[in-house]
Amino acid sequence: MEHRSNNYTSSNYNNNNNNNNNNKAEKILKYKDLTIEIQRMWNVETRAIPVIIGATGTISKSFRKYVNDIPGNHDVKELQKTAILGTAHILRKVLT
């Protein structure tokens, strides 16, 4: 009997530009080797899910669809808040 399960690889990425489509493609390509390696080693279905939040909390139109693909309960506003607080932390460190 073969056991098949799903495995998800996700990455958070803060950026300052509005070019989220290129960032999505970059992230999917960046993790392609990892997803292939996980599939080969553990014989599970794997796919990369690009979770990209801008430094100011901006998200792409397809962001909610991608977040809903990840198992569990995820609040988009909390994810945006975390990105903004991370940006504020970096700015405080640099400016003080």
Side-chain angles (χ1 to χ4, degrees):
M1 178 164 77
E2 181 179 329
H3 175 70
R4 306 262 315 154
S5 64
N6 293 329
N7 190 13
Y8 301 96
T9 304
S10 66
S11 176
N12 294 327
Y13 181 67
N14 287 336
N15 64 1
N16 289 348
N17 62 25
N18 294 326
N19 205 353
N20 281 339
N21 286 333
N22 283 343
N23 292 330
K24 277 191 280 191
E26 274 179 34
K27 285 297 176 186
I28 291 172
L29 286 175
K30 179 179 177 181
Y31 290 102
K32 186 66 177 170
D33 291 337
L34 177 62
T35 58
I36 291 170
E37 185 69 16
I38 291 170
Q39 286 175 346
R40 188 187 64 76
M41 287 177 62
W42 294 323
N43 196 31
V44 294
E45 181 183 326
T46 306
R47 67 186 178 114
I49 300 174
V51 178
I52 302 169
I53 303 174
T56 58
T58 57
I59 58 174
S60 67
K61 292 177 183 175
S62 57
F63 179 82
R64 284 181 173 78
K65 178 181 112 24
Y66 288 127
V67 169
N68 288 336
D69 288 346
I70 301 171
N73 187 16
H74 307 283
D75 184 15
V76 174
K77 289 182 182 181
E78 285 296 317
L79 295 172
Q80 288 176 305
K81 180 180 171 183
T82 302
I84 293 168
L85 289 174
T87 301
H89 177 74
I90 292 168
L91 286 173
R92 266 194 304 280
K93 279 179 85 173
V94 170
L95 298 176
T96 57

